[in-house]
Amino acid sequence: MPASPYPHLSPELRALSGDALRLRGDADERRRALEAIVRAWESGDPHLRAVIERADSAVTAGLSACGLPRGPVLELRIEDGSAPQGRKLVDCSLLLGGIPMRRVLREDRRPDSTFRTWVHESLHARQTYATDVYQEYRPYRGFEEGMVEGLARLVTRDKAGMDPAETSYAYYVAAYRALARAGDLDVGELWMALWQHPTGTIRVKFVNTIDILRRSSSGAPLTAAQQVRLQGIADQVFGSQRVDFSTDGGMESTLTSLWKAAFQ
C-alpha cells in the first residue's frame, strides 16, 4: 500500500480522497481555497457558490470521517458587513463573515482559524435545534459552545495538524478538560457523547451523559448527591456570563479542584 502523502493526518482523515484530502492535508491548498472564496465574495463573482462548495465539501467529508456528520443546512453563505466569524441560525442556515474571513486570511495570516470556524459552525448544525433552544443557550451557552469548540479543535488541530487560533470559548473548553481530568473521563468521548443531542438540550443531558460514561469505564454510577453537585457546578462554570473569562493564572487547575469536589 503506498505511503500517505499526508502522514500527519489521523487514520480516518488519511482515508479521504480528492479535494477533501488535499484541503485537510495541505496548508497551502487550504489557504488558496479560502482566498478564492474571499476574492469571489469581494468581486461579486458568479462562481462564488462553486468555490464555497469546494471548501464546504472538504469540511463535511472530514467531519463524516471523524464520526461527526453535519445535518441538513438550508443555506451556506458569506455575510457582508462586520459580521461575526460564523453563525448557525435556528432555520438551519450557516453563515460565515466575509470581513472577518478576509482579515484572518490577509492580516492575521491564519487561514486555519477560518477553517476551524467553518468546522465549529458545522458542528452546531448536527440536528435541528430544540424548539426552546434559547431557554438553555441564553443563560448557559457554555454547555454547547465549550463542547462544539472542543470538538472543532480536536478535528482541526489534533486530527489534521492545523494551526488555528484558539481564543474562542477558551474558558468553556478548559472547563470541560478540567471536568474530564477530575472525573477520570476521556474529554473527546464526553464531547462526542454530548454532541449526539440537539442544541438546546445539552444542559439537561449533561449529568446523565457523565453517569453513562463513568458506568462504562469505571462501573461507578454517580450518587444522587454527586449528580446535584455536578449540575450546580456546571451551571456556574458554563454560565453565559463567563464567556470571556481568562484561562490564565492557573484557572484550569482551579476548575479541576472544583470538579473534584463534585465527585467526592
Side-chain angles (χ1 to χ4, degrees):
M1 187 175 190
S4 169
Y6 308 113
H8 63 283
L9 296 178
S10 65
E12 61 267 41
L13 294 180
R14 288 199 298 269
L16 296 171
S17 61
D19 278 343
L21 177 63
R22 284 190 291 274
L23 267 65
R24 287 278 176 171
D26 188 324
D28 289 334
E29 188 69 23
R30 201 158 51 244
R31 176 185 54 76
R32 286 191 292 268
L34 295 172
E35 180 61 39
I37 293 171
V38 171
R39 286 198 308 271
W41 166 72
E42 289 175 322
S43 65
D45 190 326
H47 296 104
L48 174 60
R49 175 55 46 199
V51 292
I52 290 175
E53 179 58 32
R54 180 179 183 237
D56 191 52
S57 293
V59 169
T60 56
L63 286 173
S64 292
C66 293
L68 297 162
R70 191 173 75 192
V73 169
L74 175 66
E75 177 187 21
L76 196 161
R77 71 175 186 269
I78 308 299
E79 284 192 286
D80 294 328
S82 299
Q85 290 192 44
R87 293 189 294 157
K88 196 291 185 168
L89 305 184
V90 174
D91 70 357
C92 294
S93 296
L94 197 157
L95 315 179
L96 298 172
I99 290 176
M101 184 184 294
R102 180 171 59 196
R103 183 190 67 248
V104 168
L105 286 171
R106 297 178 183 170
E107 297 177 22
D108 301 343
R109 298 186 182 277
R110 300 293 293 267
D112 287 350
S113 295
T114 291
F115 202 88
R116 194 258 322 144
T117 296
W118 205 316
V119 168
H120 178 110
E121 300 306 329
S122 293
L123 288 164
H124 281 309
R126 58 195 180 273
Q127 299 182 46
T128 301
Y129 283 3
T131 304
D132 55 353
V133 56
Y134 289 115
Q135 290 186 20
E136 173 180 295
Y137 188 85
R138 285 194 182 100
Y140 302 113
R141 72 175 67 180
F143 285 99
E144 172 75 12
E145 296 294 358
M147 174 269 292
V148 164
E149 177 61 17
L151 283 173
R153 296 180 185 190
L154 181 70
V155 168
T156 56
R157 182 192 61 200
D158 299 343
K159 292 184 177 292
M162 296 184 192
D163 183 32
E166 295 182 340
T167 55
S168 299
Y169 306 114
Y171 178 85
Y172 296 143
V173 175
Y176 270 114
R177 292 191 181 280
L179 166 62
R181 188 177 303 111
D184 196 25
L185 302 168
D186 181 284
V187 71
E189 290 182 3
L190 173 58
W191 286 330
M192 290 279 287
L194 290 171
W195 179 86
Q196 304 295 325
H197 305 293
T199 299
T201 66
I202 305 304
R203 177 177 176 265
V204 297
K205 301 291 186 180
F206 180 77
V207 170
N208 187 57
T209 299
I210 294 172
D211 189 39
I212 291 171
L213 290 175
R214 281 174 62 86
R215 287 171 185 265
S216 65
S217 61
S218 66
L222 294 171
T223 66
Q226 287 173 326
Q227 292 182 34
V228 170
R229 287 196 295 269
L230 270 173
Q231 190 68 63
I233 292 172
D235 286 349
Q236 178 184 351
V237 301
F238 293 127
S240 295
Q241 74 278 6
R242 298 197 174 203
V243 64
D244 294 320
F245 269 34
S246 171
T247 56
D248 296 337
M251 178 60 74
E252 194 158 337
S253 176
T254 300
L255 286 166
T256 301
S257 298
L258 189 63
W259 287 119
K260 282 182 177 179
F263 287 107
Q264 292 177 354

